[in-house]
Amino acid sequence: MTTSAPQVLVVGAGPVGLSAAHELARHGVRVRLVDAADGPATTSRALATHARTLETYDQMGVLDELLSRGQRVEHFTLHQNGRRLIRFDTDYSRLPTRFPFTLMVDQVITEEVLRDAAARLGVTVEWGVRLDGFEDLGEDGVRARLTGPGGRTETVAADWLVGADGGHSTIRKQLGLKLAGESSETWLIADAVVDCDLPKDSIHWMRTPRGTVMMVPFPDEGKWRLLDTAETSYGGDDRMVAERFAAKITAGTGKPAQVELPSWVSVFTIQQRMIPSMRQGRVLLAGDAAHVHSPASGQGMNTGVQDAVNLSWKLAAVLRGEADDTLLDSYSAERVPVGAELLRTTRMATLLVQLRSRKAAAFLRTAFTVLRNLPPLKGRIQRKIMGGMSALGLGYGESPLTVAASAPGIRPGERLARVDAAGAASAQWRTVLDELRRPDWLLLSNGATHHRSLRTVRITDASVAADLGLRDGDWLLVRPDGYVAARGDAGQSPRAALQSLGIRVRETAELA
Ligand SMILES: Cc1cc2nc3c(=O)[nH]c(=O)nc-3n(C[C@H](O)[C@H](O)[C@H](O)COP(=O)(O)OP(=O)(O)OC[C@H]3O[C@@H](n4cnc5c(N)ncnc54)[C@H](O)[C@@H]3O)c2cc1C
């Protein structure tokens, strides 16, 4: 909590509001973070944290604690009526990362880690404080009406308002922005301990005569998230749900399974919707307030955290006078297409996960027999799935904040940290990755190019230059969120690139 007026009021202390508050504070912005709930949510929600989010958590400095509390998943196994059809492995060969897996970690834990990290930066959540409405005063910022514990009301002034207030966002509704899209299937989810011998480094999908079931492992001993896409009756009968899942898992895998009484059951309708713009004047929307997805591909929280990180450095730059507020238009320009693409892929994932058609059974058997015998095709499919799901393949190539360049190697708009764990052990990559953990612009220079206001790493290791496709004299200009904004050669200047992007950075020291 701050004593002086906040520069940014963040509404909602879910994973997205927490990430935004953390990142804004890391950039030196005064933040106030309020949430209408009495305290942290305890219900089971996101489990899957994908590779790009893990890289982002590393930049934020919260990764180590999450890694130690999660379960790594590297496979996707399909079973049908008692037979294992195929196992897809992760394939990050075209999109190298230090984290080639999906980390299953309960959203409750993710939020706890983010909350503690934000508190260390001086931002604590004000629970029981609801935003009722706001006015956008243009140049004069925003004025918000809050109701706190005991019905105490308050008017708070801030320069900017960030709406991370979830799928039922008050802020989105007041802006009149429509969450357009569809609500489709109703599914049932249960978290339970299952006695079975399925490996826990894999998600398991199984087709049974009574519909499809998916199993996602928790880090906890024997615990799985069970998802039924066909039979969703519940009526509070936990035993019936446990027995129904046990029968289906037994039928799907062909091995007897027992399911204990679930610790949590939920029946929900899948929503796939988004808004057309994530900025309106002094108000910015992020996370579920802006787009909601089917949980089939585990993307909602991951995407929202990326929204928060994309937005925070831009807001901080505008508040520091390093850019005009038009920089914030690039937030919407970059994140809306990502949300739209995700809606397309999560819709596809939803269809695949539930796979209703009876003809599909025979087709699957044939298709996977062919695939098992064609490793290159299987590899291509694995890479395609991973590129989208991990978000490593998503970038900002078409953004107004990207200076197009045609040189071979890493392209403007792509993330910089494309290196695997072995490569990242080199001294030079360690320096680069350390620099990425600082909330500043960065220049990588494979020659003499420098800029007195930019932190600069001179690339002296030929293998790092090769990883990034940097020839002698080439340089890369990297944004605070780790994406390449521009690249050039010895005859071009990063200053001109920054100017064309409307960025005026502060002076910082040059690195060795
Ligand atoms: C069963 C299930 C499984 C899922 N699995 C995954 C997964 O594996 N991977 C994944 O990435 N995503 C998954 N998701 C989605 C993920 O849970 C959401 O995308 C994520 O919680 C969105 O975070 P958020 O911070 O935007 O919103 P929320 O988590 O909804 O937080 C919004 C906060 O705003 C507060 N608030 C609301 N209105 C106000 C107001 N007027 N004033 C003050 N505070 C307010 C609320 O109290 C709440 O704390 C899953 C969701 C479900 C339900």
Side-chain angles (χ1 to χ4, degrees):
M1 212 181 313
T2 49
T3 44
S4 43
Q7 293 169 296
V8 179
L9 173 65
V10 179
V11 179
V16 178
L18 285 165
S19 298
H22 181 274
E23 287 305 279
L24 286 164
R26 216 158 65 93
H27 284 274
V29 174
R30 288 192 312 279
V31 183
R32 198 169 158 187
L33 174 59
V34 301
D35 196 296
D38 292 337
T42 52
T43 51
S44 191
R45 288 150 297 144
L47 254 190
T49 301
H50 298 296
R52 179 60 193 150
T53 312
L54 296 173
E55 291 183 349
T56 301
Y57 286 157
D58 178 51
Q59 279 180 256
M60 292 167 65
V62 299
L63 180 68
D64 290 348
E65 199 176 343
L66 284 167
L67 277 185
S68 65
R69 296 173 76 177
Q71 163 78 42
R72 296 174 190 212
V73 163
E74 289 159 303
H75 311 287
F76 190 81
T77 315
L78 288 88
H79 312 258
Q80 177 164 275
N81 300 336
R83 283 182 50 196
R84 192 176 104 170
L85 290 178
I86 198 166
R87 189 185 80 173
F88 287 106
D89 307 314
T90 47
D91 182 344
Y92 292 90
S93 52
R94 302 276 163 81
L95 289 165
T97 174
R98 287 159 293 152
F99 314 109
F101 49 85
T102 297
L103 189 76
M104 297 302 171
V105 58
D106 198 318
Q107 185 170 333
V108 170
I109 294 175
T110 301
E111 290 177 8
E112 179 193 314
V113 169
L114 289 171
R115 223 168 25 244
D116 290 350
R120 284 195 293 275
L121 295 173
V123 186
T124 51
V125 183
E126 295 175 54
W127 296 110
V129 179
R130 188 183 70 240
L131 174 132
D132 294 318
F134 64 88
E135 285 169 85
D136 184 337
L137 307 173
E139 297 276 289
D140 294 327
V142 285
R143 196 160 44 211
R145 295 185 303 285
L146 306 178
T147 302
R152 176 178 51 84
T153 58
E154 179 193 357
T155 302
V156 58
D159 295 317
W160 298 92
L161 175 65
V162 172
D165 49 344
H168 301 288
S169 171
T170 305
I171 298 176
R172 182 189 69 231
K173 286 176 192 155
Q174 191 183 320
L175 289 174
L177 287 171
K178 197 167 162 358
L179 202 53
E182 59 191 36
S183 42
S184 48
E185 303 298 317
T186 296
W187 288 359
L188 180 141
I189 277 189
D191 295 347
V193 170
V194 181
D195 185 4
C196 63
D197 68 352
L198 293 173
K200 282 193 75 173
D201 58 356
S202 177
I203 292 176
H204 297 271
W205 176 96
M206 53 205 70
R207 196 180 149 85
T208 81
R210 284 164 63 190
T212 65
V213 165
M214 199 155 85
M215 296 177 69
V216 183
F218 272 85
D220 320 49
E221 185 72 34
K223 188 172 171 186
W224 295 81
R225 166 159 296 166
L226 308 172
L227 199 147
D228 193 325
T229 66
E231 292 180 280
T232 55
S233 58
Y234 172 43
D237 190 344
D238 290 339
R239 182 160 305 284
M240 179 269 290
V241 166
E243 285 169 2
R244 193 164 66 200
F245 271 117
K248 289 189 178 187
I249 297 166
T250 304
T253 61
K255 293 178 189 158
Q258 284 190 349
V259 178
E260 291 186 10
L261 286 187
S263 56
W264 178 79
V265 179
S266 174
V267 177
F268 62 94
T269 299
I270 295 163
Q271 306 280 341
Q272 313 203 88
R273 301 170 185 274
M274 71 178 297
I275 52 175
S277 168
M278 292 162 83
R279 175 188 181 193
Q280 205 171 97
R282 292 258 155 181
V283 186
L284 301 125
L285 291 165
D288 275 18
H291 42 73
V292 285
H293 304 275
S294 152
S297 60
Q299 292 292 348
M301 182 185 70
N302 284 275
T303 311
V305 169
Q306 298 297 329
D307 290 345
V309 171
N310 183 298
L311 172 61
S312 300
W313 72 263
K314 294 174 183 173
L315 258 183
V318 171
L319 282 162
R320 281 200 299 257
E322 293 174 6
D324 298 337
D325 77 309
T326 48
L327 174 65
L328 295 171
D329 292 334
S330 72
Y331 166 60
S332 202
E334 291 181 348
R335 297 306 299 169
V336 168
V338 169
E341 170 64 9
L342 273 177
L343 281 194
R344 198 181 63 76
T345 52
T346 54
R347 197 172 294 128
M348 214 152 64
T350 304
L351 290 174
L352 285 175
V353 165
Q354 68 184 6
L355 208 65
R356 281 272 159 78
S357 153
R358 285 186 189 283
K359 289 189 193 124
F363 170 75
L364 281 185
R365 249 193 327 271
T366 318
F368 290 133
T369 308
V370 173
L371 262 191
R372 272 199 308 270
N373 294 316
L374 279 178
L377 179 61
K378 187 178 168 214
R380 246 202 332 269
I381 292 175
Q382 283 170 175
R383 284 194 294 277
K384 180 109 186 107
I385 295 172
M386 288 325 304
M389 205 168 82
S390 65
L392 295 172
L394 297 177
Y396 305 130
E398 305 300 317
S399 162
L401 257 196
T402 298
V403 185
S406 55
I410 195 164
R411 281 197 300 270
E414 292 180 349
R415 74 196 164 97
L416 178 73
R418 33 181 239 183
V419 60
D420 60 19
S426 76
Q428 181 109 74
W429 260 116
R430 280 210 308 275
T431 304
V432 171
L433 294 168
D434 268 354
E435 286 308 312
L436 277 184
R437 294 184 188 108
R438 302 172 67 106
D440 290 322
W441 284 81
L442 181 63
L443 184 68
L444 299 193
S445 176
N446 193 23
T449 302
H450 72 286
H451 182 293
R452 74 188 160 87
S453 301
L454 289 176
R455 299 184 63 79
T456 303
V457 177
R458 292 202 181 282
I459 301 298
T460 49
D461 180 333
S463 68
V464 176
D467 287 345
L468 297 169
L470 295 180
R471 299 157 305 191
D472 278 356
D474 283 356
W475 50 265
L476 294 175
L477 182 61
V478 186
R479 309 170 1 164
D481 58 1
Y483 286 86
V484 176
R487 64 174 292 161
D489 56 31
Q492 296 166 309
S493 105
R495 176 182 303 277
L498 278 171
Q499 265 168 2
S500 74
L501 298 174
I503 305 285
R504 309 173 285 273
V505 283
R506 292 167 304 171
E507 276 196 27
T508 46
E510 182 172 332
L511 302 170

